[in-house]
Amino acid sequence: MTAMQDTTAKPEPRTFSERLARIVGRGPTHLILGLIALVWLVPSIGLLVTSFRPSADMRSTGWWTVLFEPRFTTANYERVLASEGIGEAFLNSLFITIPSTILPLLIASMAAFALAWVRFPFRDTVFLVIVAMLMVPVQVGFIPTVTGFRESGTGLLTNYGAVWLTHTAWALPFGIFLLRNFFITLPKDLIEAARIDGASNVGIFRTIVLPLSVPAIAAYGIFQFLWVWNDLLMSLIYAQRNAIQPMTVKVTQLLGTYATEWSLLSAAAFLIMIVPLIVFISLQRFFVQGLLAGSVK
Amino acid sequence: MTAASSPASTPVTGSGEQSRAPGHGFSWAALLFLGPAGLLLAVFIVFPAIYTAFLSFNRGRGGEFSEWVGLDNWIRLFTQDPNFLRIGFPPSGALWNNVLWIIFFVSFTVLFGLIIAVMATRVKYEAWVKGIVFLPQAIAATSLAIIWRFVYSPDPNTGLLNAVLGIANVGPLSVLGNPATVNWALIAVGIWGSVGFATVILSAAIKGISSEVLEAARVDGATEPQIFWRIIVPMVSLPISVVAVTLLVGVIKLFDLIFVMTTGGPGASSRVIAFSMYQEAFPSGQFGYGAAIAVVMLLLLVPVMIFNIRRFRAEAVQQ
């Protein structure tokens, strides 16, 4: 191994001029990567800074002037949370997202278990139908389901029920796909041995498959949580009462009322971002694993 | 799956006992485990999709079958609705905007993702660069849209873009208020939001290229652009196609960003298909017409669906 590396590794630069040439040669790489980092950071930093600036300052000067005259306040956050209804919407977002994450986790892992480890007729066909459903756009469901919910007299469109049910249903194809592909990689001997020992399917699912699949289930859970938390469209369609609408919907309404009140809009935008950022930064490992598993199987 | 393939391809799941082909006899356990998922998928996806397909041939008043109109919705969609498709020079409308998105958003996102992935492997702060570029992936499209509405603000005392242009004595420009620039401004935001996804996936693929291949090319005197185009790009062509297909699907489903940044405006100049579907069906209440647009979205995704199914059947046979 070491011998192989020795023959292929680039010789270390020996003279001063070689070393200089190498540093200069890398110069453009550092410069371009630095520029890229700036382009990706500055827009978000601008909005973050604005959310902490007094709104009078926001109206008179650009956010970049804080470098010369730093003046900060939390008044914008206080105002959007208290009087613009974003505080209530924050709770609605949680109330929409938590059941819409737990339900598909449970239902998809059950279905994925059956597709991976229970024998029944047309199993492969069922799985291919699920693969096909991955591509079906949510839009094909909107009109019949909204009509159905409205006419059912159950009030589901105004009490979270419709949002929970539809988010759960549309999360299943991806969840079943991801988890089934993980479940079939579990050691067959282990499951067959449990079966010979008389374990039931429910027992195998609970005591072997679920505990061994925590990374995959966590990845799917994070995806689904972020997806629902960040979603606007589904709530626009299925949460038809002000008091149950999540932050994404509330912020678009704020945008209609205060199109240039950047102090308020920026604070609201960051309140939407805060939970995903915490989830993402603390659970990044699972997130990237899931991403790799989901798209490059 | 066809009957011919099922007995031969026993190990589709890797779990079947060798002595018995999978799927002999009815299984209560399967029903118990698949039941809840099957019920939800049937009620909220399969049945509504069929209903929507039929509704596209109906007036659809109130979301119900009110009056059959044959192909009226379809004819109107492709020939009489300039907001959906206007064939001319240059073409315009929601469908055309999706074409622009597919061409420019997908190719530039993949290209930038690849370039950043390759460049980042050469520096010690690789994880930081990838992390920074990836961050928009975690952010709601709603927040992303507000970030960029702020950057694009026509007031040079607010919007960074016009502040920078002001230094060069250009502008102020209202890039989102001008039909000639609005789609390009939106596509730029889309690229900004998605490059991180491409970077992370492609970076993992590039790491899989043996360093001996690259070193051998360098020893033979290949230049860096040659190495990029002739070695790296062909060797990661499969992950590139997977990323491109994922982005393409994202474009056809694109809604939130457009809704928050422009609501399809000015006029209808930045509409995309998913926006038209929402607009025609809900605020305008033309359910039959909206149903036809939803079916167009589904039809555009059918080739990807077939591609995926083929890929999985092929993999199943290999296992």
Side-chain angles (χ1 to χ4, degrees):
Chain A
M1 186 65 204
T2 48
M4 205 182 275
Q5 270 173 353
D6 285 343
T7 56
T8 55
K10 215 173 212 175
E12 276 304 303
R14 278 182 217 112
T15 66
F16 174 74
S17 63
E18 268 178 17
R19 226 171 282 151
L20 189 70
R22 196 166 189 185
I23 293 167
V24 173
R26 286 279 165 86
T29 306
H30 294 305
L31 193 71
I32 293 169
L33 286 176
L35 258 170
I36 286 166
L38 271 183
V39 171
W40 260 265
L41 279 177
V42 168
S44 316
I45 291 173
L47 203 74
L48 182 64
V49 166
T50 305
S51 71
F52 286 106
R53 287 182 85 204
S55 58
D57 287 15
M58 182 278 297
R59 269 188 285 276
S60 56
T61 54
W63 59 267
W64 45 91
T65 56
V66 291
L67 289 173
F68 315 110
E69 38 176 342
R71 258 198 308 275
F72 297 106
T73 172
T74 54
N76 303 323
Y77 284 92
E78 285 158 29
R79 193 176 149 200
V80 283
L81 280 172
S83 45
E84 301 297 342
I86 296 290
E88 189 195 20
F90 188 96
L91 296 178
N92 289 341
S93 283
L94 274 179
F95 209 58
I96 288 171
T97 308
I98 291 170
S100 303
T101 305
I102 293 172
L103 283 173
L105 274 184
L106 189 74
I107 295 170
S109 49
M110 281 168 57
F113 172 73
L115 289 169
W117 293 104
V118 181
R119 279 184 299 273
F120 61 92
F122 302 109
R123 182 170 69 180
D124 304 340
T125 314
V126 171
F127 183 64
L128 288 179
V129 169
I130 302 273
V131 171
M133 278 191 194
L134 282 172
M135 286 302 126
V136 178
V138 285
Q139 280 80 1
V140 299
F142 285 170
I143 297 167
T145 49
V146 167
T147 310
F149 282 131
R150 205 178 44 226
E151 289 172 358
S152 68
T154 49
L156 289 170
L157 285 170
T158 52
N159 67 6
Y160 298 108
V163 190
W164 288 340
L165 284 168
T166 50
H167 265 308
T168 301
W170 286 99
L172 291 176
F174 176 66
I176 295 172
F177 169 78
L178 189 79
L179 295 178
R180 178 268 187 194
N181 285 345
F182 188 86
F183 289 172
I184 59 167
T185 64
L186 297 176
K188 186 179 154 193
D189 297 345
L190 197 64
I191 287 160
E192 292 305 325
R195 219 162 243 157
I196 289 163
D197 289 346
S200 65
N201 278 307
V202 176
I204 292 169
F205 177 62
R206 276 188 40 227
T207 58
I208 300 176
V209 173
L210 285 187
L212 288 177
S213 306
V214 169
I217 295 171
Y220 173 50
I222 295 164
F223 259 111
Q224 177 62 7
F225 183 92
L226 292 179
W227 163 254
V228 177
W229 183 276
N230 289 339
D231 166 74
L232 167 68
L233 179 57
M234 297 285 274
S235 289
L236 217 49
I237 304 282
Y238 294 111
Q240 298 191 355
R241 187 161 60 99
N242 249 316
I244 67 165
Q245 280 164 346
M247 276 195 289
T248 46
V249 175
K250 275 284 157 53
V251 167
T252 52
Q253 289 166 358
L254 272 188
L255 209 52
T257 326
Y258 308 105
T260 56
E261 271 294 338
W262 292 109
S263 303
L264 293 183
L265 294 171
S266 57
F270 270 94
L271 287 168
I272 301 179
M273 282 160 61
I274 202 148
V275 170
L277 285 181
I278 292 168
V279 170
F280 173 69
I281 289 166
S282 54
L283 300 169
Q284 193 176 13
R285 189 167 57 89
F286 289 118
F287 187 85
V288 173
Q289 272 172 7
L291 195 74
L292 292 172
S295 49
V296 192
K297 161 62 183 67
Chain B
M1 236 185 187
T2 59
S5 65
S6 53
S9 61
T10 308
V12 168
T13 60
S15 68
E17 278 173 18
Q18 303 306 314
S19 55
R20 257 198 307 170
H24 268 270
F26 174 80
S27 160
W28 279 107
L31 194 68
L32 170 78
F33 279 100
L34 278 168
L39 187 71
L40 283 167
L41 292 175
V43 172
F44 292 105
I45 300 183
V46 177
F47 170 72
I50 296 167
Y51 185 106
T52 299
F54 281 105
L55 200 68
S56 72
F57 301 103
N58 200 287
R59 182 81 60 224
R61 234 173 250 113
E64 300 191 39
F65 293 94
S66 61
E67 178 195 347
W68 290 98
V69 294
L71 289 171
D72 281 10
N73 290 324
W74 290 92
I75 292 165
R76 184 177 146 212
L77 196 56
F78 286 100
T79 61
Q80 292 153 16
D81 184 353
N83 289 344
F84 187 73
L85 179 65
R86 192 185 70 91
I87 298 170
F89 192 81
S92 64
L95 193 59
W96 175 250
N97 289 340
N98 271 106
V99 172
L100 291 182
W101 270 88
I102 289 170
I103 297 171
F104 293 97
F105 164 78
V106 175
S107 56
F108 279 100
T109 304
V110 170
L111 185 66
F112 289 159
L114 203 54
I115 291 173
I116 294 172
V118 170
M119 288 179 86
T121 54
R122 300 185 190 172
V123 296
K124 293 200 178 90
Y125 46 90
E126 177 183 4
W128 280 97
V129 173
K130 287 200 289 191
I132 288 168
V133 175
F134 191 75
L135 218 50
Q137 289 289 306
I139 298 175
T142 309
S143 295
L144 210 137
I146 291 175
I147 290 174
W148 281 90
R149 274 179 74 137
F150 187 58
V151 171
Y152 287 153
S153 164
D155 178 356
N157 271 333
T158 311
L160 185 64
L161 177 71
N162 279 306
V164 172
L165 290 177
I167 297 170
N169 266 327
V170 181
L173 305 175
S174 172
V175 286
L176 295 179
N178 180 348
T181 53
V182 64
N183 284 303
W184 305 111
L186 289 169
I187 289 172
V189 176
I191 295 170
W192 187 85
S194 298
V195 161
F197 163 75
T199 304
V200 168
I201 302 275
L202 297 176
S203 169
I206 288 166
K207 296 252 162 80
I209 298 178
S210 122
S211 59
E212 286 168 43
V213 175
L214 300 179
E215 291 304 334
R218 286 199 182 101
V219 170
D220 289 347
T223 63
E224 290 301 315
Q226 278 174 333
I227 289 174
F228 181 79
W229 289 111
R230 304 252 178 97
I231 297 177
I232 294 177
V233 171
M235 288 190 86
V236 296
S237 60
L238 185 67
I240 287 177
S241 69
V242 173
V243 169
V245 169
T246 310
L247 294 170
L248 179 109
V249 171
V251 166
I252 291 166
K253 296 179 175 176
L254 176 74
F255 174 83
D256 289 6
L257 186 73
I258 307 295
F259 184 82
V260 183
M261 282 197 80
T262 64
T263 51
S269 52
S270 65
R271 282 191 185 185
V272 288
I273 305 185
F275 183 85
S276 289
M277 190 276 156
Y278 169 81
Q279 183 66 33
E280 303 297 357
F282 293 97
S284 312
Q286 307 182 74
F287 290 108
Y289 196 55
I293 303 179
V295 174
V296 171
M297 294 180 67
L298 179 62
L299 292 177
L300 287 172
L301 291 165
V302 164
V304 184
M305 208 184 270
I306 293 168
F307 171 80
N308 277 349
I309 291 175
R310 286 225 177 115
R311 196 153 65 95
F312 274 91
R313 288 181 66 170
E315 269 176 27
V317 171
Q318 278 165 18
Q319 269 171 13

